[in-house]
Amino acid sequence: MRYLSRKLGFYLVALWAALTLNFLIPRMMPGDPVEIMLAKLGQKGPVTPESREAIEAMLGTDSSRPLWAQYGDYLAGLANGDLGVSLVFFPAPVSSIIAQTLPWTIGLIGLATIISFLTGVGLGTLAGWKRGSWMDNLIPVTTMFQSVPYFWLALILLFLLGSVWPVFPLNGGYDVYNVTPGWNGPFLASVVYYGTLPALTIILSSIGGWMLGMRNMMVSTLSDDYMVTAEAKGLRSRRIMMRYAARNAVLPSISGFAISLGFVVAGSIITEAVFSYPGIGSALLQAVGGNDYALMQGILLIITLSVLGANLLVDLLYSVIDPRIRARG
Amino acid sequence: MAAADTVTVNLAVPRRRPTLPPMTGKLATGLIIAGLITLFGLIGPLLVQDPAKIDDIGLTPPSADHLLGTTQTGQDVLAQLAYATRGSLIVGAVVGLLTLILSGFFGIVGAYAGGWLDEAFSLFTNVVLVIPGLPVVIVISAYVAERSLLLVALVLAITSWAGSARVLRGSTLSLRSRDYVLASRVAGERRWRILLVEILPNLIPLLASQVVFAVIFAILGEAGLSYLGLGATESFTWGTMLYYAQNGLALRLGAWWWFVPPGLMLALFGAALSLINFSIDEIINPKLRNQTRGARRGWRMSREQIRRAKESTL
Amino acid sequence: MSEPVLTIENLSVDYLVDPVVHAVRDVSLTLRRGEVLGLAGESGCGKSTLAYAIVRLLKPPAMITSGRAVFHARGGGDIDWGDLGPEDLRAARWDKISMVFQGAMNSLNPVISIRDQFEDIFTTHRPAMSRRDRRLRCGDLLESVGVDRGRLTSYPHELSGGMRQRVMIAMAMALEPQIMIMDEPTTALDVVVQREILRELTRLRDEHGFAVVFITHDLPLLLEISDRIAVMRDGAIAELGDAYQLYTQPRHDYTKQLLASFPSLTGDRGSFLRESA
Ligand SMILES: Nc1ncnc2c1ncn2[C@@H]1O[C@H](COP(=O)(O)OP(=O)(O)OP(=O)(O)O)[C@@H](O)[C@H]1O
Ligand SMILES: [Mg+2]
């Protein structure tokens, strides 16, 4: 329980830091984002006083209100869930843009990352178990993929599998002409078809890291004392591998998984740019391109919160599988 | 757990001094490739023509005049590559240095000092670690229209040091409770002296591997930012070259001489640094070393003997 | 005396590193049913290597270069430990010979519960056993070494060093093996706990009748608990004999030296220090 309350305390601090960072960035940057936004919004249509207020609360007003009062307005605005109006997607509110795009990102990136983690850890287990086998020699190859910049790999795969041998579609999240979004078979099939290549590039570029990390931990674990005990006990080697070696070796990979989530999000922005995928990363880039500061800040906030939430989940899972951590706190 | 079991302070425990990595094939390959690329980045720009000079010959394949061909606007690809190498290496070097300083400060000093300072530093490190860096970098870049190479490096460093700091903190904590460090404390050595003489030397391999990681991360991160059009303005890096190549439809037009060289340089440099890191890893983790083929070659066992031995044990 | 349960013939083990270490040289011994055989010798003389070699747990670069260990089953029939295929070897381990390792403190897997580590043994070697019987037996075993059965749900880090040691001993008895090899099982413990565990062990031995190979460099302790003692030096057996006899009339010089280095044994307080000065 001490572990749990410590962790929750930490995430509260992190949440506060993230909110504050989000508050400070637009106010510390050169230029006047509110002016620019409001001017452009005015060209597109009438701006209601409420959305004006929401934007001012998010990005800072040039009025003489002191910073701490602005901070109060900002937090109050967040509590209402009002993130202002988007400029690029005028007149849609920022929150609805996020609600539309977030599922795509979580679906694609989340699934690809989990698949990559599980396969990488599985292959790493085997490579560490049978050191010096062909599996072990696969590792330098997969780490090569990691040193190649991700977008370069993605672009080349897209060029090869999209243009040269058109096996996969070039861009998008589903076939916009022939299917209607919803819980129907053709749409879901189309989503899977369109998502395969992006997912493949993510898996290819990240699997090597999981594999190498797991392999090295396996090798370290194999020389621990309790491994000899397990062997002397006459257990079957499958059981020793899974229950004694892999079970213990996977722990650092899992805490590494939490840390890597931030990078996964970062990678997702580039993935979505390469494949014009309709996720939150593409929305962020469009916001950046159109000086849509309200949308930008809103997305940054959501991304940060999602990563924090995912980290918390992994931490809780970790405490379930490593009994020592619960005591240590 | 193990520490709790040993109650006595054993003064005879030998200090583990860092050793130079054994010159294996992996390490040599890594060093040679990284060295050649660095050399190219250092003296290349002195030998080539102006990378920004526009020529109306347009997109041309490699020829005697332009060894790596030209871009859409007739700029010499080789010249761009030389300047881009320099630019990317500068980003890598700056981020590597800043990571060294920041992670050393927050990781080692905090852990060594202990108490509330350690708590505060570790809390700060962990908060920075869970807040995703690249989105923050993207948003910051969006506010700043003119971005110098140094600014990009600075922003990358600020968002990337925390992982290293956490690793270093862990090792410092375990070193701090080693017998010989405790012994020097009992002997009344000064605290900063213990840090410099007893602890820091043992952290060098780990620091080195963290810096190498930071450099890989920075160069790839910069390339990613540039690809999104948010990299340094008005400078050449491998990333900006790829960005222009992508915008100039080099891939569709089959202008391989434009997009392959920067990508290949990135891949080669990244691979070279990874190879170097493999070798450092084997120093940091002696358990890995025993499993390398090099160590096995040191055994006087035939393949047949090893195979038979494997039958009966794991 | 009684019939043998294990015969070791001309066993030699080398560590094939540069230069080659001859860790065990031409060792021959017989272990009789139900006896406690003490194995003493200075650090690095090859005691652990010999123990590992008996059940073939050595890993490269270690190699058994010659000799064999033959196990004599209770109802007759010999098992040459070296001739077993991988599957038979696995099945024979723990069932015939179990071990308590040097540094038994770290011999338990830190992330699974004591119960799971016990049950592993039964599900592997006694698949027919019902779940209820298994649980009952695990609890009984723990209680037999003086640990509360409620501790089954604990994890190793929640136990003291002495308790972990007892848990290991309980595990070693799980399948009622005919031989238990104990490699310095009590070195890390304080004298009181050490005594307690040894008394428990002697009692269990009397009850179940398994033979024990007890490895330590603590000669006084061996004299107290063993029936026979083998003194090892540089990988070879220097002297093997009845415990009392070895104490009263040591034949080998090395044994005399070893005995002399424990002043309390020779009675004359401080003689060791005076002689070496
Ligand atoms: N992996 C190895 N490679 C090379 N030599 C080894 C290896 N393991 C053990 N040795 C050597 O084999 C010899 C016997 O070691 P062993 O562990 O059997 O000693 P021991 O009698 O159990 O000592 P202790 O009482 O300290 O446990 C020692 O000289 C040791 O240096
Ligand atoms: Mg030993």
Side-chain angles (χ1 to χ4, degrees):
Chain A
M1 279 308 100
R2 230 187 88 223
Y3 170 78
L4 212 63
S5 54
R6 250 188 94 106
K7 274 290 160 201
L8 285 177
F10 167 73
Y11 281 102
L12 280 180
V13 174
L15 176 67
W16 168 79
L19 293 180
T20 308
L21 183 71
N22 203 47
F23 170 78
L24 287 178
I25 287 177
R27 287 168 177 77
M28 280 172 32
M29 291 294 136
D32 192 347
V34 185
E35 268 317 287
I36 300 173
M37 275 243 11
L38 289 176
K40 288 199 177 169
L41 275 178
Q43 293 166 7
K44 291 206 167 183
V47 184
T48 59
E50 292 87 56
S51 54
R52 189 190 174 87
E53 245 173 55
I55 289 173
E56 284 181 345
M58 282 291 284
L59 303 175
T61 45
D62 53 357
S63 66
S64 51
R65 268 173 82 77
L67 212 57
W68 59 265
Q70 291 186 31
Y71 193 50
D73 291 348
Y74 162 80
L75 290 180
L78 287 185
N80 293 333
D82 193 351
L83 301 172
V85 188
S86 162
L87 177 66
V88 182
F89 301 96
F90 190 82
V94 168
S95 47
S96 81
I97 305 290
I98 291 175
Q100 260 171 42
T101 51
L102 193 59
W104 287 98
T105 300
I106 293 182
L108 172 68
I109 312 299
L111 272 183
T113 307
I114 291 172
I115 292 174
S116 164
F117 177 77
L118 294 180
T119 350
V121 164
L123 291 177
T125 304
L126 292 178
W129 187 247
K130 295 243 174 280
R131 296 168 307 279
S133 66
W134 64 272
M135 197 70 106
D136 216 7
N137 298 328
L138 206 66
I139 285 184
V141 181
T142 52
T143 38
M144 277 293 277
F145 277 121
Q146 277 206 305
S147 37
V148 180
Y150 165 74
F151 63 88
W152 199 64
L153 181 74
L155 280 174
I156 287 184
L157 278 179
L158 182 62
F159 178 62
L160 291 179
L161 297 177
S163 304
V164 181
W165 304 287
V167 187
F168 290 108
L170 276 171
N171 54 38
Y174 64 98
D175 187 349
V176 277
Y177 302 110
N178 300 318
V179 299
T180 43
W183 285 108
N184 57 63
F187 172 69
L188 293 179
S190 163
V191 167
V192 170
Y193 176 52
Y194 274 69
T196 306
L197 188 58
L200 205 66
T201 60
I202 297 173
I203 294 171
L204 261 185
S205 69
S206 60
I207 200 167
W210 299 124
M211 204 171 149
L212 179 70
M214 185 63 187
R215 184 256 177 204
N216 283 355
M217 268 319 288
M218 277 294 278
V219 171
S220 305
T221 308
L222 286 180
S223 57
D224 280 343
D225 288 348
Y226 53 79
M227 292 303 300
V228 188
T229 311
E231 199 185 348
K233 271 158 95 176
L235 304 182
R236 295 200 170 78
S237 65
R238 255 192 82 79
R239 196 175 188 88
I240 300 181
M241 175 172 96
M242 296 312 292
R243 210 159 169 180
Y244 288 74
R247 175 77 165 70
N248 294 50
V250 79
L251 296 173
S253 293
I254 288 178
S255 49
F257 185 72
I259 294 172
S260 80
L261 285 171
F263 295 98
V264 168
V265 169
S268 80
I269 297 172
I270 297 177
T271 312
E272 292 180 11
V274 172
F275 294 95
S276 311
Y277 203 76
I280 205 162
S282 294
L284 176 62
L285 291 175
Q286 273 172 288
V288 167
N291 286 336
D292 189 347
Y293 298 109
L295 184 55
M296 227 157 73
Q297 293 299 140
I299 291 179
L300 179 60
L301 190 67
I302 290 303
I303 288 182
T304 316
L305 294 188
S306 319
V307 171
L308 284 186
N311 261 292
L312 179 61
L313 274 183
V314 174
D315 270 346
L316 294 182
L317 174 73
Y318 191 91
S319 79
V320 171
I321 62 172
D322 188 352
R324 290 167 298 181
I325 201 97
R326 290 196 292 262
R328 223 183 290 135
Chain B
M1 217 166 54
D5 294 334
T6 50
V7 186
T8 51
V9 176
N10 184 356
L11 297 180
V13 171
R15 295 156 196 226
R16 191 166 62 88
R17 283 296 180 209
T19 43
L20 279 179
M23 193 43 88
T24 56
K26 263 190 237 169
L27 181 61
T29 319
L31 285 176
I32 289 173
I33 297 177
L36 286 179
I37 292 178
T38 310
L39 210 63
F40 179 59
L42 283 179
I43 53 177
L46 307 175
L47 306 175
V48 295
Q49 62 184 90
D50 179 5
K53 197 177 120 242
I54 296 173
D55 199 325
D56 56 11
I57 55 173
L59 197 62
T60 53
S63 64
D65 279 347
H66 302 283
L67 289 177
L68 281 177
T70 58
T71 71
Q72 219 172 16
T73 47
Q75 295 162 321
D76 185 57
V77 173
L78 182 64
Q80 289 200 346
L81 194 65
Y83 278 89
T85 303
R86 174 183 281 185
S88 282
L89 290 181
I90 288 176
V91 173
V94 171
V95 175
L97 187 70
L98 286 175
T99 302
L100 182 69
I101 296 171
L102 285 172
S103 63
F105 183 67
F106 286 103
I108 303 176
V109 175
Y112 182 66
W116 65 268
L117 194 70
D118 181 34
E119 288 284 325
F121 276 15
S122 133
L123 178 68
F124 182 58
T125 307
N126 284 329
V127 167
V128 175
L129 200 59
V130 288
I131 293 180
L134 193 74
V136 175
V137 174
I138 288 177
V139 169
I140 291 179
S141 307
Y143 282 102
V144 187
E146 293 293 316
R147 295 173 295 266
S148 70
L149 214 51
L150 277 179
L151 178 80
V152 172
L154 193 72
V155 176
L156 281 172
I158 288 175
T159 51
S160 69
W161 59 270
S164 306
R166 184 150 128 164
V167 173
L168 287 171
R169 174 171 181 266
S171 304
T172 311
L173 284 181
S174 87
L175 278 174
R176 203 173 67 135
S177 55
R178 289 271 169 84
D179 295 341
Y180 60 84
V181 174
L182 293 178
S184 338
R185 278 210 173 163
V186 172
E189 260 194 73
R190 285 202 200 137
R191 296 192 56 154
W192 60 266
R193 231 189 95 81
I194 299 178
L195 180 62
L196 287 184
V197 178
E198 309 286 355
I199 293 188
L200 222 47
N202 286 301
L203 284 174
I204 285 175
L206 196 59
L207 270 171
S209 101
Q210 292 301 323
V211 167
V212 172
F213 259 129
V215 172
I216 300 179
F217 166 83
I219 289 178
L220 291 182
E222 189 278 333
L225 267 186
S226 297
Y227 170 74
L228 299 175
L230 294 167
T233 41
E234 306 291 324
S235 353
F236 286 105
T237 63
W238 291 326
T240 53
M241 272 187 85
L242 285 170
Y243 172 67
Y244 287 120
Q246 157 83 357
N247 275 4
L249 298 179
L251 206 58
R252 297 278 158 77
L253 298 173
W256 55 267
W257 59 90
W258 192 1
F259 68 84
V260 169
L264 205 62
M265 290 293 258
L266 267 167
L268 275 178
F269 196 67
L273 293 189
S274 301
L275 285 176
I276 295 175
N277 244 359
F278 278 145
S279 311
I280 303 178
D281 265 354
E282 281 167 14
I283 301 180
I284 299 173
N285 188 349
K287 285 179 179 174
L288 292 181
R289 193 169 31 198
N290 299 338
Q291 298 300 341
T292 57
R293 297 183 168 205
R296 284 186 197 191
R297 232 172 276 135
W299 299 346
R300 296 188 160 182
M301 288 178 87
S302 67
R303 268 161 186 275
E304 180 59 17
Q305 284 174 321
I306 291 186
R307 197 186 57 73
R308 283 217 39 210
K310 271 188 181 164
E311 263 178 17
S312 62
T313 74
L314 297 176
Chain C
M1 231 181 115
S2 68
E3 51 175 323
V5 63
L6 182 76
T7 315
I8 300 170
E9 289 167 14
N10 309 98
L11 195 66
S12 297
V13 179
D14 288 351
Y15 284 96
L16 297 172
V17 289
D18 213 18
V20 172
V21 179
H22 302 289
V24 173
R25 302 163 197 250
D26 201 27
V27 166
S28 300
L29 296 167
T30 35
L31 180 68
R32 295 171 194 153
R33 202 168 285 287
E35 79 168 339
V36 176
L37 175 71
L39 192 56
E42 64 190 14
S43 185
C45 69
K47 304 183 296 291
S48 300
T49 308
L50 174 60
Y52 278 57
I54 294 172
V55 282
R56 281 177 64 199
L57 274 174
L58 290 168
K59 293 192 170 31
M63 258 266 299
I64 299 177
T65 49
S66 73
R68 52 192 205 136
V70 180
F71 177 83
H72 310 287
R74 190 164 287 160
D78 293 351
I79 303 173
D80 185 339
W81 216 253
D83 282 349
L84 294 175
E87 180 55 24
D88 293 334
L89 181 65
R90 182 199 63 67
R93 281 180 182 155
W94 218 255
D95 195 24
K96 308 275 187 288
I97 305 183
S98 65
M99 283 185 88
V100 176
F101 292 96
Q102 184 168 14
M105 299 283 203
N106 302 321
S107 302
L108 293 168
N109 185 345
V111 301
I112 62 182
S113 70
I114 302 293
R115 164 176 291 143
D116 287 345
Q117 302 190 45
F118 262 105
E119 290 202 354
D120 256 354
I121 300 172
F122 293 118
T123 44
T124 308
H125 292 279
R126 305 277 186 271
M129 210 164 162
S130 79
R131 188 185 159 86
R132 256 196 72 234
D133 289 352
R134 254 191 346 244
R135 300 239 150 149
L136 205 65
R137 179 103 176 92
C138 294
D140 293 346
L141 279 167
L142 265 197
E143 274 178 356
S144 73
V145 293
V147 177
D148 189 78
R149 73 170 60 225
R151 287 298 186 161
L152 271 179
T153 49
S154 301
Y155 289 91
H157 71 270
E158 295 164 340
L159 304 179
S160 73
M163 280 164 127
R164 269 180 252 168
Q165 212 86 37
R166 285 160 194 256
V167 168
M168 268 317 292
I169 293 174
M171 269 187 205
M173 298 190 315
L175 302 175
E176 304 191 333
Q178 290 161 54
I179 303 173
M180 241 164 104
I181 299 176
M182 312 186 81
D183 189 358
E184 307 194 26
T186 55
T187 336
L189 302 176
D190 69 80
V191 188
V192 180
V193 178
Q194 194 175 329
R195 293 274 137 188
E196 224 176 288
I197 291 183
L198 290 177
R199 204 171 310 129
E200 215 94 55
L201 181 72
T202 326
R203 183 179 62 74
L204 291 165
R205 200 269 315 240
D206 293 342
E207 207 174 292
H208 299 286
F210 49 78
V212 178
V213 177
F214 198 98
I215 301 174
T216 180
H217 28 226
D218 188 349
L219 202 52
L221 186 105
L222 275 190
L223 288 172
E224 211 170 309
I225 63 164
S226 332
D227 302 313
R228 289 190 306 151
I229 293 178
V231 175
M232 247 182 119
R233 188 191 194 182
D234 282 341
I237 304 267
E239 184 168 354
L240 170 67
D242 181 71
Y244 183 73
Q245 210 171 3
L246 190 110
Y247 172 42
T248 47
Q249 333 160 340
R251 267 169 293 149
H252 201 279
D253 283 345
Y254 181 66
T255 315
K256 286 178 194 156
Q257 237 177 317
L258 214 56
L259 284 168
S261 61
F262 291 96
S264 58
L265 290 180
T266 41
D268 191 3
R269 270 177 155 269
S271 63
F272 169 65
L273 285 180
R274 275 201 303 279
E275 267 165 39
S276 60

